[in-house]
Amino acid sequence: MKTKSNCRKMPGLFFLLLMITVSLCFSSCSFLGFRTSIRLSETSIDLASNVYLVERHLPIVELKCECQPLWGVPFTLMLQRNSEDDSVELSEFVLYETGRRGLSDKRIADQPFFLLDVNTKAAIEMRQKERLQQIYPQNTEYDHKTICAKACAYKEIDDGAEFYGGDTLKFMEGDHLVAERDVILVFKPKALKNGRKYKIEFTPRVNNKAVPPVAYHFRQVKNNNAIAWTVGLAAIIGFLVLTTR
Amino acid sequence: MKSKTSLRKNYIFLFAVFIFLTMRVHAQNIVAPASHWGGLMYPNLEPTKEIGLQFANFTEFDKNKEVDGVCLTDDPRGRYNHIEETIGFNILAISQTRNLIRKDKFQSNFLYQSALLFGFTSDQPTEIFQNEVIHSLAGLCTVPRNKKRSDPFLLGYSGQLNYNFFALDRSSQSSIQFSPTPIFAGAGFSFGTVMQELFTQIGFHNYKFLNFRATERWFYFSFSAMSRLGVAYKGLVFDNIANQYMANQASIRLHLLAYSFPINLELAVTGHSGVFLNDAVSAENAVSVNDVVPLPEYFYSLRLEMGSFIFETFNDQLGGKDKGPTYGVRVSYRLLPGESLAKKALAGLFKLPIFRNLL
C-alpha cells in the first residue's frame, strides 16, 4: 500500500523567522561595532588569532596558524587596512631555532619560505642585490625603481612562489584589504627538522612606520600516517562495538 | 560473479573520479546522507579542503532475535518502515571551504562550504563491517538482509554559506584584539540522487571551557552545539520522506597536546526529528495516512582528528535500535590551502626508488 507523507507539524516557520531575526540583528550589531560578550582566552588568541590593532589608524596585522597549527607549520597572515591609502609592507621574516639547551636562539639565515596560497595581489620587492643580479644579469644599473618594477613583476605572488627572509612583501595598488577577515597569504618555511622548536618573527611596516614585531613559536611535527590510520580505525571499531547493543 | 565484476567496475570508476577531481578540487559532505545518520554537521570556520570516503548503512531490518543465547536465522526483531531494501552508501566526498571575496565590512566573515559527492550504493563493504566485524566483536546477532539496493552512480552537490561572528576585545596588554567567536549562522542547500534539501542553521563551535593555563598545554575541553532546520524533497534513492526536519547536535571535544602534537577527540549526541516516515508496505503494518509521521532518530558520534586525518563514526544506538539509518563511517584527509592531493601524490610517487632510479 502506498502511503502518503503527512508530517508532524513542526514550529518550522517560527524557527526560521527567529533565525533570520537573530542573524540580521547580529549582522547589524557587528556592522556597527558591537562587541559580543564572548571573550576568548588569552591562549586561544595567542594560538589561533594573534591579532594586534596597533593604533586606531593603522591596519590590523595578524600572524596566525592554520586549523592544525603544528602539522606542517603553515602560517596564515591576515591583514586589514582602514583606508585605501594605507601602505603596508611585510618584511624581515626571520626564522629562529629555539629551545636549544643552554644556548640562545639561533637565527637561520636565508631561510626560504614557501607560499601556499594568496588571496590578493602582492609583490615581493627583492632587496638583495646579488639575487637581483642573478635574475637580471643584463641589468648593470640597479636603479631601485627599475629593479622593483621588474622584480615585482617577476615575483608577483602566486601559489608556490618562494621568498626569503629579508625580502619585502608589498601590497600593490588597487588591492582591497579592508575586509575584516582577509586571508592574505599562507606560507611555511621550508626544510624544517622534525621535532625541533622554532620561532618565526616578522616586523610589518605600516605607512612607513614600524609596528611591533609579531612572533610565533612552533614545533615541527610531521604527520605519521601509519599511526593515524591505526589509531583512527581502532577508534571507529571500538566506538561502534561499544555503542552497538 | 556478475555482481563482483560490477562492484569492481564501480570501484575503478570511483578511483578514476578521485584522481581526476583531486587535480584541482579539494573534501567532506555536510548533508545527506551523513547529516541524517548522526554525522557531525558543524561547518568549517576556516578555509579548508578535505577529501574523504564515507560509508553509511540503511538497513531494512533490525538484528535477528536471540532466544536462550542463540541467534535465530533470518528472524529480525522488526523492520524499519516501508523501504523494502537495505542500502549501503559508498561515497567519495570532496569539499572546500573558502572566504568569500569581500568588498566591505558587511560582507566579511562569510564562508562558503561546498561539497561534491560521487559514489554508488551497494551493501558491501557496509554489511561485512556491520555483521562480520562490529556485531561479531560485540557478540551480537547479525542484521539480516533481503533485497539489497544497487545503484551504479550517486551524485550530489551541496553548499552552505555561514557567517562567523567576530568580536573586538582587549588583551591583558590592553591592545585591541580582533577575535573570532565560536558563533555562526548560515543556510545551505543540497541536491543529488539521495535527496534534496534546503536548510538554515545556527550554533557555536569549539567554545572553550575547563581551560586552565597550567594544563592547557596538555589538555583542555571545548563545547559545541548547533541546530539545523531543513526542508527535504525526495531523490532517486529515497522517494518518500518527511518534507521538513529539525536536527540538534551537541558535542564535547577534548584537545590533547595542543602545543606539540595536537589530537582532538570529539563525542557528540544528535537528536533528529527524522526524514524517514513510519509508513509500512505490508497490509498488517499499514498505517493510515493521518498517522504517518517522521521517525525520530538519536545518534552517538565520535570524531578523531590526528594530523591531517579525520576519522568519524556515528551509530543509532542512542535511539535503542539497529535499523534504518543505523551507522556510518567517514575518513577524510585535510589539505592545506594551496595544496592539492594530485600534487602530493605525484610528489610521493617520484620519491619511490623506481622513479628515482629512472630520473
Side-chain angles (χ1 to χ4, degrees), chain A residues 130-176:
Chain A
E130 300 76 26
R131 290 184 31 227
L132 287 171
Q133 280 170 332
Q134 286 169 11
I135 296 167
Y136 300 108
Q138 74 281 13
N139 230 347
T140 47
E141 292 292 322
Y142 292 102
D143 165 61
H144 178 79
K145 271 189 175 176
T146 313
I147 290 169
C148 183
K150 290 189 176 181
C152 292
Y154 177 78
K155 292 294 273 184
E156 185 170 313
I157 293 174
D158 199 356
D159 290 2
E162 275 184 25
F163 62 103
Y164 288 76
D167 290 347
T168 304
L169 193 64
K170 275 191 171 179
F171 292 92
M172 299 164 80
E173 282 181 16
D175 291 345
H176 207 93

Side-chain angles (χ1 to χ4, degrees), chain B residues 261-294:
Chain B
F261 200 85
I263 298 170
N264 299 324
L265 193 67
E266 189 162 13
L267 188 66
V269 289
T270 306
H272 198 299
S273 66
V275 288
F276 300 107
L277 305 173
N278 71 338
D279 49 0
V281 169
S282 61
E284 64 271 21
N285 291 329
V287 177
S288 76
V289 170
N290 291 333
D291 293 335
V292 173
V293 292

Side-chain angles (χ1 to χ4, degrees), chain A residues 3 6 43 68 181-182 243, chain B residues 102 216 259 279 292 307 317:
Chain A
T3 53
N6 182 14
T43 308
Q68 292 174 302
R181 201 160 180 257
D182 258 331
T243 57
Chain B
R102 291 141 301 184
E216 68 197 357
Y259 289 4
D279 49 0
V292 173
Q317 198 266 339

Side-chain angles (χ1 to χ4, degrees), chain B residues 26-27 47-51 95-96 333-339:
Chain B
H26 320 284
T48 311
K49 298 160 186 173
E50 290 172 15
I51 182 156
S95 82
Q96 181 179 32
Y333 184 82
R334 184 180 285 162
L335 295 160
L336 298 172
E339 279 187 345

Side-chain angles (χ1 to χ4, degrees), chain B residues 146-202:
Chain B
N146 185 15
K147 191 181 167 191
K148 298 170 186 176
R149 188 178 179 103
S150 178
D151 297 292
F153 192 54
L154 293 179
L155 185 65
Y157 178 79
S158 64
Q160 58 171 281
L161 190 63
N162 291 292
Y163 185 85
N164 186 202
F165 296 95
F166 270 55
L168 281 172
D169 207 347
R170 282 194 182 274
S171 73
S172 55
Q173 293 88 31
S174 77
S175 61
I176 294 174
Q177 294 176 318
F178 181 65
S179 314
T181 72
I183 304 169
F184 65 87
F189 66 93
S190 163
F191 58 85
T193 41
V194 180
M195 63 177 74
Q196 331 302 325
E197 286 180 58
L198 287 171
F199 60 85
T200 55
Q201 60 191 12
I202 192 164

Side-chain angles (χ1 to χ4, degrees), chain B residues 7 52 56 59 94 131 135 146 151 153 193 208 242 256 292 308 354-355:
Chain B
L7 200 63
T59 54
I94 299 166
N131 282 336
H135 281 232
N146 185 15
D151 297 292
F153 192 54
T193 41
K208 290 183 181 180
L256 291 167
V292 173
S308 300
I354 185 169
F355 284 99

